[in-house]
Amino acid sequence: MLQNIRDNSQGWIAKTIIGLIVVLMALTGVDAIITGTGNSQNAADVNGEKISQNELNQAVEMQRRQLLQQLGKEFDPAMLDERLLRDASLKGLIERSLLLQGAKDSKFAFSQAALDQVIVQTPEFQVEGRFNADRFDQVIRQLGYTRMQFRQMLEQEMLIGQLRAGISGSGFVTDEEVAAFARLEKQTRDFATRTIKADPAAVKVSDDDVKAYYDAQQSQFMSPEQVVIEYVELKKDAFFSQVAVGDDEMKAAYESEIANLAEQRQAAHILIEVGGDVSDEQAKARIEEVQKRLQGGEDFAALAKEFSQDPGSASEGGDLGYAGKGVYDPAFEDALYALKQDEVSAPVRTEFGWHLIKLLGVQAPEVPSFDSLKEKLETDLKAQRVEQRFVEATKQLEDAAFESSDLAQPAQELGLKVQTSEPFGRQGGEGIAANRQVLQAAFSQEVLEDGSNSSAIELDPNTLVVIRVKEHRKPQQLELDQVSDSIRAQLTKTRASEAAKAAGEQMVAELRDGKVEGGAEWQVVEAATRNQDGVDPAVLQALFRMPKPTGEKSEFSGIALANGDFVVIRLKGVSEPEQALSDEEKAMYRRFLASRSGQEDFAAYRKLLESKADIERY
């Protein structure tokens, strides 16, 4: 056969086909290289709009911070699954991109002036109730944003919020739907229960039963795979005692610190917008009319309430609060910082329209003394040097661990101690064995099978470890006598539950056939609501799923509980409220149902956008 293939491949037809295949593979390969290179900086493409790797990394980091904040200080960051974080973050960015495109297509908009108002009125950016530029910079820097990036992100969030409100807010319900929902919600049921207890004492499990189960399920009875690791731990805090800072350095840092202090200015403005039916000339003429009235002695705040088209500040007499440089439009800011106390500017043109600006107040920064900042400056300078030393030591540790066949040499070079863990399995253990990255490294092929040292693993921002496997304990079959007690207990519980369920189902069948049971053993509950206290939630769910009894005949059902007991349920009657709903109740139910309907509409809109979109993940 091979010879036939060789002979046939020498013909001109075969050579032509092979040539075409080579050309197609070459073109495909070049295209893959070009595409791969072009998309190396992108995470996804949504209808032609790119989502960059930087955006994804930033979203992952923000989601990680939010999760750690919610889970508390005791939570180990290494327990977070990086792949799941990235998948969830990319999904969120794609959805965000689709919603922004939907908002743009629907002509939603948010003015820069309104955006300024959102920023200056955000409590997180205020100090003592006033906007503080330093506080603003500090907060957004912690979030990983520059001012421009934060404004862009905030504007996008506001647009998505408008879109969500526009769709969700349009949900409505009819009076009939409100009445039907209220009838179901307020419905009560008269019932009784009879509990058949799972009785382990009545179950006999023989040694043969235990052995038969053991023989049939031997794979369940293996000792866990475990490892014992050695590790060296590098801590950043250990370097603080090794660095010192002189007074000259602290004084230089002090001068730099106070040089960054900036005054805050309280501005008020009157805005006449340009756009739509209002031309630049018309807006300027109107602001000049307002200026003349000011010059005639009228109150600035009163005129702002009457004429200003900035919805965020007009009702406050144009007051924008205190802010530092870098918040307002450059032309606005230049005019504001040229004013004296209570002085009003000439008309100023920005991208929003024409303004009259008044300086209401100036807050000069309080300059702290060198002595009051000395301790902080020393700590900050030491932290910078420690960070540098820690980075250098980390590199040294990684290099030494890579070059060594054990941890003795890296430990000796850096003055560290080789420590040994307790045995632990793939599910982890205590201490260092609770760290997910340590677990992944310990059971990796490189460390577990090849016997290599791991790379440096970050337990937290201040601690690194390098590990190696000292002992590998593979799974072994457990003997019957080691597991017989647990098998007997499991079989006993299972059989007791099965017996209770069988007896309960037989009772339900007999009751449905008309057999009369004595009332003494039944626990009667009248007018039970959907949230009835003192009744197992599983019983309530089963109860309200039962059909309404017809005539005088009761309905019967049953449910097995988690503890193995079986509860027989007798439904005697269903009652619905006779009183008409009050206006307050109607409004409450209407708001709830409309909100739920609006949320469902918005969820459907998101799915529609996704179904129609051209999405490619790289």
Side-chain angles (χ1 to χ4, degrees), residues 39-82:
N39 291 325
S40 62
Q41 300 301 316
N42 296 320
D45 182 295
V46 182
N47 291 328
E49 292 186 4
K50 305 294 185 184
I51 296 175
S52 70
Q53 288 288 350
N54 286 338
E55 289 178 280
L56 177 57
N57 292 338
Q58 191 175 36
V60 170
E61 183 59 28
M62 185 171 294
Q63 188 172 36
R64 180 185 288 108
R65 290 180 183 179
Q66 291 172 347
L67 284 171
L68 292 178
Q69 188 175 10
Q70 292 170 5
L71 295 170
K73 295 180 180 179
E74 300 301 321
F75 181 78
D76 183 1
M79 297 294 287
L80 296 176
D81 190 308
E82 186 70 18

Side-chain angles (χ1 to χ4, degrees), residues 330-437:
F332 188 104
E333 185 174 283
D334 290 343
L336 174 62
Y337 276 82
L339 296 175
K340 297 179 181 178
Q341 180 81 31
D342 295 325
E343 189 177 4
V344 179
S345 72
V348 177
R349 179 68 163 94
T350 71
E351 60 178 302
F352 314 116
W354 285 94
H355 307 255
L356 290 175
I357 305 167
K358 183 177 181 179
L359 177 60
L360 300 180
V362 178
Q363 285 183 342
E366 293 183 10
V367 180
S369 66
F370 173 73
D371 290 338
S372 68
L373 288 180
K374 185 175 180 179
E375 184 177 348
K376 174 183 177 297
L377 293 171
E378 183 179 14
T379 302
D380 291 345
L381 289 171
K382 277 190 172 184
Q384 293 173 14
R385 293 191 177 178
V386 165
E387 185 66 37
Q388 183 178 357
R389 293 284 298 275
F390 187 63
V391 171
E392 293 170 354
T394 299
K395 181 67 167 61
Q396 184 181 355
L397 176 60
E398 288 182 328
D399 292 343
F402 179 77
E403 296 168 357
S404 304
S405 59
D406 55 29
L407 294 178
Q409 181 182 339
Q412 183 178 5
E413 289 184 9
L414 287 120
L416 304 174
K417 179 183 177 182
V418 178
Q419 303 180 63
T420 304
S421 74
E422 294 295 324
F424 61 89
R426 292 181 181 268
Q427 301 304 315
E430 297 181 354
I432 190 174
N435 185 284
R436 182 173 294 275
Q437 293 183 73

Side-chain angles (χ1 to χ4, degrees), residues 460-479:
D460 57 59
N462 298 317
T463 311
L464 292 173
V465 294
V466 172
I467 71 168
R468 70 175 290 102
V469 171
K470 180 179 181 180
E471 182 183 351
H472 181 199
R473 302 178 181 179
K474 296 183 178 180
Q476 293 182 340
Q477 184 70 49
L478 297 173
E479 298 297 330

Side-chain angles (χ1 to χ4, degrees), residues 188-424:
T188 61
R189 296 194 165 203
D190 300 328
F191 74 104
T193 60
R194 185 171 179 178
T195 301
I196 299 174
K197 294 285 186 180
D199 184 10
V203 176
K204 302 298 181 183
V205 178
S206 68
D207 291 342
D208 291 339
D209 292 335
V210 173
K211 187 174 187 309
Y213 187 88
Y214 173 81
D215 292 338
Q217 307 290 337
Q218 282 197 16
S219 61
Q220 293 183 16
F221 307 112
M222 304 287 291
S223 65
E225 179 184 20
Q226 290 186 315
V227 294
V228 177
I229 62 170
E230 293 180 329
Y231 63 96
V232 290
E233 190 174 60
L234 185 67
K235 284 188 167 291
K236 186 185 295 185
D237 294 345
F239 292 96
F240 271 91
S241 61
Q242 303 175 19
V243 298
V245 177
D247 286 344
D248 291 342
E249 294 173 283
M250 285 190 284
K251 287 178 180 177
Y254 171 74
E255 294 297 331
S256 176
E257 182 90 7
I258 63 175
N260 293 327
L261 295 176
E263 70 176 22
Q264 303 280 308
R265 293 204 162 202
Q266 182 183 10
H269 78 141
I270 298 171
L271 169 66
I272 303 299
E273 293 182 331
V274 176
D277 297 332
V278 180
S279 67
D280 187 80
E281 293 78 9
Q282 291 172 324
K284 184 178 181 182
R286 290 184 64 186
I287 204 73
E288 287 174 345
E289 290 176 9
V290 176
Q291 184 184 30
K292 289 178 181 178
R293 293 179 61 172
L294 276 172
Q295 292 169 347
E298 294 192 44
D299 181 61
F300 187 96
L303 290 172
K305 291 180 180 180
E306 182 178 354
F307 293 103
S308 182
Q309 295 174 334
D310 177 4
S313 67
S315 61
E316 303 296 326
D319 189 356
L320 296 173
Y322 279 94
K325 288 189 175 182
V327 173
Y328 300 121
D329 179 277
F332 188 104
E333 185 174 283
D334 290 343
L336 174 62
Y337 276 82
L339 296 175
K340 297 179 181 178
Q341 180 81 31
D342 295 325
E343 189 177 4
V344 179
S345 72
V348 177
R349 179 68 163 94
T350 71
E351 60 178 302
F352 314 116
W354 285 94
H355 307 255
L356 290 175
I357 305 167
K358 183 177 181 179
L359 177 60
L360 300 180
V362 178
Q363 285 183 342
E366 293 183 10
V367 180
S369 66
F370 173 73
D371 290 338
S372 68
L373 288 180
K374 185 175 180 179
E375 184 177 348
K376 174 183 177 297
L377 293 171
E378 183 179 14
T379 302
D380 291 345
L381 289 171
K382 277 190 172 184
Q384 293 173 14
R385 293 191 177 178
V386 165
E387 185 66 37
Q388 183 178 357
R389 293 284 298 275
F390 187 63
V391 171
E392 293 170 354
T394 299
K395 181 67 167 61
Q396 184 181 355
L397 176 60
E398 288 182 328
D399 292 343
F402 179 77
E403 296 168 357
S404 304
S405 59
D406 55 29
L407 294 178
Q409 181 182 339
Q412 183 178 5
E413 289 184 9
L414 287 120
L416 304 174
K417 179 183 177 182
V418 178
Q419 303 180 63
T420 304
S421 74
E422 294 295 324
F424 61 89

